[in-house]
Amino acid sequence: MGKVWVVAEQREGKLKKVTFEMVTLARQIGGEVEGVVIGKDVKGLASELGEYGVGKVYVADHPDLEQYTTAKYTRVLAELINKEKPEVVLIANSAQGRDFAPRTAQRVGAGQISDITGYEEGVFVRPIYAGKAYTKVGATSHPLIVTVRPNVFPAAEKTGGQAAIEEVAVSFMPEDLKAIVKEVVKQVSGRPELTEADIIVSGGRGMKGPENFKLLEDLADVLGAAVGASRAAVDAGWREHRYQVGQTGKTVSPSLYIAVGISGAIQHLAGMGSSKVIVAINKDPEANIFKVADYGIVGDLFEIVPLLTEEFKKLLKS
Amino acid sequence: MKLVVLLKQTFDTEAKIVLKDGKIDDSGVTLIINPYDEFAVEEALRIKEKLGQGEVVVVSAGSDRAQEALRQALAMGADRAVLVKTDGLQLDEMVVAEVLAKVLQQMEYDLILAGWRAIDDSSAQVGVRVAEILGLPQINLVTKLEVGEGKITGHREIEGGTEVVEVPLPALVTAQRGLNEPRYPSMKGIMQAKKKELKVINAADLGVNATPKVEIKEIFLPKGKQAGKIFTDEPAVAVAKLVKALREEAKVI
């Protein structure tokens, strides 16, 4: 195995957790683990990667890279791949990674294996049909681009060390600058993103109305969790589309998924089935969700959820 | 305005996955338009309606059976359809993208729309690869789209928010849930769809020389789960037991 690259995911000058998860995967793959950092004023991040045992880090630091656009990132990464010829390039399967990875793959003539959740001796494991089945996929040529699902691999621990830092010359073609980002609207929420969250509390039709999601938000606040919703709750207009978990929504893999008032339609199970521990709270003992749940309480959610919030509060305070 | 929609036929979201000889068995499975592509079809129809002129062409790479999905898009209101038959070809996302791009190069387009991913393989690659081959700017995961003079503006979903991006036309856009609510075909639409053009091309005749860069070695089903622990005590006791189990047994809190 030659070079295995970890393309760092950073936001506002901080490395995202998935970056360290990719370092773990890169070590499993073997070969020389190297990093790529793209952005503005990001040299500090390159040395930080070095502390996690990454031997060499390529840094593309340019004022025009402060704002992400597909074309700019593709330009930088594709040129670097063509020059340095890594065998495997790991990119986060985030909104950003998903956007420039296939474009880069196409430009360098590479195959891509998307949204992987496992690795076994040269093949990558990934869910299809939103987790109703899995495939093992291998590359027939290199370079290979792999996008990695956040929250699946353990984050690498600090090993100490110093990376050799190589600055990359960045220059753009006129067509790279055609896309204009007019505005970035941030959701004002203290809660983690669904796809990154370690704990998710999700509500379904059993919530009976948008106002009752307050119960789930209270529980989520105690746990530092994200709040999701089933398709039924989204279709009823109680939650925005972006919070939908399921085959036509987000696919999530938190350590703990608490499904409240969710019956467990096959398309919902597909989106959350890879959660490590699933808890179901539903008044119908026959509900499908109990078939996949590790723990369950059969009962009235309006009674149980507030009790649960209190119980967690007690536990986490002590 | 010339609008092209890339459309894939997929299993119904309710479909159960069954393996037969190590492959996914599609017998008896209801096939539908990939839900994200349906948003793309709807958006193209709305743009045409709003402008009062234009053409919506739906293009699919797949087997003969994909004609059903294309007919449905025609019944929704698309003007004509193209099926590129890929039977017997070795495919990966790159090859499919090369095939589609080859067909698109023979067409006129101002805007190409596609779903951001298909719900079956969920690779989320083909649309973006097509944009790269054709040298088009892209806006991915769009939840709102405004067509201007020679440009489009898309609101795209990003982690923790929304980004508003403007690109010049021609361009490629991928649709995300929230963009619109796809219409159902009307009876009139279904009758008209039968008379609309559905051109069938063999991918093998297109002279695409890309070969797959990745290959599926194995398909398997996830292990069935053991029955979980259900606490049936009165609520306060059940909750206490659950929290204890999550901390001491599952160790997730």
Side-chain angles (χ1 to χ4, degrees), chain A residues 38 64-65 67-79 96 99-101 103-104 107 170-181, chain B residues 128 132 135-139 156 163 165 167-168:
Chain A
I38 302 172
D64 278 350
L65 288 166
Q67 174 64 56
Y68 168 84
T69 68
T70 324
K72 289 188 285 187
Y73 267 52
T74 303
R75 171 71 58 200
V76 169
L77 188 59
E79 284 185 0
Q96 187 170 300
D99 187 54
F100 71 89
R103 186 117 198 170
T104 305
R107 193 168 298 178
V170 175
S171 62
F172 296 111
M173 309 286 273
E175 65 262 32
D176 300 337
L177 305 170
K178 278 186 187 165
I180 302 160
V181 178
Chain B
V128 170
E132 171 64 20
L136 304 178
Q138 73 194 47
I139 313 179
R156 61 183 294 262
E163 194 175 81
V165 184
V167 297

Side-chain angles (χ1 to χ4, degrees), chain B:
Chain B
M1 188 168 205
K2 303 274 187 194
L3 299 139
V4 179
V5 181
L6 305 179
L7 181 153
K8 184 177 185 181
Q9 189 180 41
T10 58
F11 280 25
D12 185 88
T13 55
E14 302 284 325
K16 221 179 145 204
I17 304 298
V18 176
L19 292 188
K20 197 177 162 189
D21 305 324
K23 291 216 161 72
I24 289 183
D25 186 9
D26 66 356
S27 53
V29 174
T30 307
L31 299 180
I32 57 168
I33 296 178
N34 172 41
Y36 293 98
D37 300 347
E38 212 173 5
F39 299 130
V41 173
E42 176 64 35
E43 196 64 16
L45 296 173
R46 288 188 190 192
I47 292 169
K48 181 188 158 182
E49 284 160 5
K50 199 168 167 195
L51 298 175
Q53 47 92 20
E55 185 187 34
V56 176
V57 187
V58 279
V59 179
S60 187
S63 70
D64 251 333
R65 212 175 151 186
Q67 291 196 31
E68 299 160 16
L70 289 169
R71 285 278 174 219
Q72 198 193 329
L74 293 173
M76 286 170 74
D79 297 291
R80 60 189 179 89
V82 180
L83 170 66
V84 197
K85 275 169 68 175
T86 52
D87 306 84
L89 286 188
Q90 292 279 359
L91 299 172
D92 70 352
E93 292 83 354
M94 179 192 270
V95 178
V96 173
E98 295 277 3
V99 163
L100 285 169
K102 199 71 153 189
V103 173
L104 287 160
Q105 276 159 351
Q106 296 162 3
M107 297 169 62
E108 285 177 73
Y109 53 79
D110 299 295
L111 181 60
I112 301 173
L113 298 111
W116 80 268
R117 64 172 167 130
I119 59 161
D120 48 13
D121 61 42
S122 199
S123 284
Q125 293 183 36
V126 171
V128 170
R129 282 181 182 268
V130 166
E132 171 64 20
I133 301 168
L134 299 176
L136 304 178
Q138 73 194 47
I139 313 179
N140 222 341
L141 287 150
V142 164
T143 52
K144 188 178 168 191
L145 194 63
E146 289 147 13
V147 178
E149 195 61 46
K151 64 182 184 188
I152 47 160
T153 308
H155 295 233
R156 61 183 294 262
E157 193 181 312
I158 56 171
E159 266 100 18
T162 309
E163 194 175 81
V164 185
V165 184
E166 178 191 294
V167 297
L169 291 172
L172 181 137
V173 159
T174 72
Q176 163 68 318
R177 211 175 140 79
L179 180 60
N180 54 44
E181 285 299 329
R183 69 194 68 186
Y184 290 104
S186 62
M187 192 42 78
K188 191 172 154 219
I190 293 167
M191 297 309 289
Q192 282 173 344
K194 291 179 182 160
K195 295 184 207 130
K196 289 178 180 170
E197 181 189 309
L198 196 167
K199 191 169 154 190
V200 180
I201 301 172
N202 278 315
D205 299 336
L206 289 168
V208 169
N209 49 21
T211 52
K213 307 287 189 233
V214 295
E215 63 179 356
I216 293 174
K217 309 265 189 193
E218 192 188 329
I219 302 176
F220 62 98
L221 299 181
K223 283 191 210 100
K225 285 196 82 160
Q226 301 270 337
K229 265 189 204 167
I230 309 291
F231 302 104
T232 49
D233 318 74
E234 60 147 305
V237 177
V239 162
K241 282 186 179 170
L242 170 65
V243 170
K244 190 164 185 266
L246 289 176
R247 164 142 278 193
E248 292 171 10
E249 212 175 80
K251 298 189 168 64
V252 285
I253 295 291

Side-chain angles (χ1 to χ4, degrees), chain A residues 28-39:
Chain A
Q28 279 178 32
I29 296 169
E32 256 174 279
V33 178
E34 297 186 340
V36 178
V37 179
I38 302 172

